[in-house]
Amino acid sequence: MMLDLFENYKETVAIAPGAVLFKGFVENARALLGAIGDVTARSPFRHMATSGGYRMSVAMTGCGERGWVSDKRGYRYDPTDPETWCPWPEMPAAFLQLAKEAAAEAGYPEFSPDACLINRYDIGAKLSLHQDKDELDLTAPVVSVSLGLPATFLFGGLSRNEPKKKLRLVHGDVVVWGGPSRLAYHGVSPLKPGLHPLLGNIRINLTFRKTE
Ligand code: MD6
Ligand code: FE
């Protein structure tokens, strides 16, 4: 079928030094979605509070040895899910395999993530410009997997006010970013309405990190 040609379309796009976009990298989206279901059955999505007391529009959960937690005390990686008082669910094998494959392809063959943050965007949800700097080992990259509805990803520089590139991230795209880009400011524009054949009216983003 004609569509299959496009569904398997792969391309590598250089974003900035240390940052690369693999279009169509995900081949086992259904396996990932099953694993996301397993994780969220134990640690459900929740809207965390920012340190300033605002409710985040993105719903989050996580898996692996530690989860990213935000509350009035600030941001941190915590081995316990504050909603369940239990450890975060184990990292599913399909997650780990995908993250390692993408990192190796991008030149980080040693990458072994100990945490995966799972973000769910409903229509209108956004992520303000930020740096990922709560991880202790900044030599490890972040691997980011996009599923469901497309999003506009803003990618800037090392200071907040540098010009931003706008990237369209669609279902199956993987971004690996590290090295000179590891602390680049980035964010996600409000999710536009749409309907994805597998995920419906949401976008899910997985980010894999080495936190310690
Ligand atoms: C998102 N991603 O795409 C949010 N952070 O929904 C991130 O905040 C992110 O994609 C660090 C590295 C890659 C990312
Ligand atoms: Fe980030």
Side-chain angles (χ1 to χ4, degrees), residues 82-100:
E83 291 285 318
T84 65
W85 292 25
C86 291
W88 297 94
E90 210 179 299
M91 179 107 59
F95 277 25
L96 198 58
Q97 192 188 341
L98 174 68
K100 286 184 160 195

Side-chain angles (χ1 to χ4, degrees), residues 75 126-133 152-165 177 183-189:
Y75 316 114
K126 66 177 175 69
L127 198 58
S128 304
L129 211 62
H130 67 279
Q131 293 171 295
D132 285 28
K133 57 178 183 189
T152 302
F153 192 68
L154 306 172
F155 182 91
L158 296 181
S159 67
R160 186 174 276 282
N161 49 21
E162 277 175 55
K164 280 114 202 132
K165 277 189 183 174
W177 109 31
L183 290 176
Y185 274 92
H186 58 280
V188 180
S189 301

Side-chain angles (χ1 to χ4, degrees), residues 3-177:
L3 242 190
D4 290 338
L5 284 173
F6 294 100
E7 284 175 353
N8 295 326
Y9 176 76
K10 291 197 176 202
E11 186 191 0
T12 300
V13 181
I15 303 173
V20 62
L21 164 58
F22 297 127
K23 303 288 300 173
F25 191 86
V26 175
E27 287 176 346
N28 59 343
R30 281 193 168 79
L32 297 182
L33 294 180
I36 291 167
D38 295 342
V39 169
T40 56
R42 287 179 50 201
S43 278
F45 283 113
R46 79 292 305 265
H47 294 272
M48 296 183 194
T50 65
S51 54
Y54 293 100
R55 173 189 192 263
M56 297 183 74
S57 62
V58 176
M60 298 181 170
T61 184
C63 60
E65 287 166 44
R66 277 166 292 277
W68 186 83
V69 172
S70 174
D71 59 22
K72 285 174 193 158
R73 288 157 51 199
Y75 316 114
R76 65 188 176 279
Y77 281 102
D78 199 313
T80 303
D81 177 350
E83 291 285 318
T84 65
W85 292 25
C86 291
W88 297 94
E90 210 179 299
M91 179 107 59
F95 277 25
L96 198 58
Q97 192 188 341
L98 174 68
K100 286 184 160 195
E101 277 174 16
E105 185 108 355
Y108 299 96
E110 318 273 74
F111 182 60
S112 185
D114 58 13
C116 175
L117 174 62
I118 307 176
N119 292 162
R120 188 196 72 211
Y121 295 74
D122 301 312
I123 305 302
K126 66 177 175 69
L127 198 58
S128 304
L129 211 62
H130 67 279
Q131 293 171 295
D132 285 28
K133 57 178 183 189
D134 300 324
E135 301 75 25
L136 295 179
D137 179 3
L138 294 174
T139 66
V142 178
V143 173
S144 162
V145 178
S146 292
L147 298 168
L149 288 179
T152 302
F153 192 68
L154 306 172
F155 182 91
L158 296 181
S159 67
R160 186 174 276 282
N161 49 21
E162 277 175 55
K164 280 114 202 132
K165 277 189 183 174
K166 281 188 182 183
L167 293 170
R168 184 178 150 88
L169 297 182
V170 306
H171 179 79
D173 288 353
V174 175
V175 177
V176 180
W177 109 31

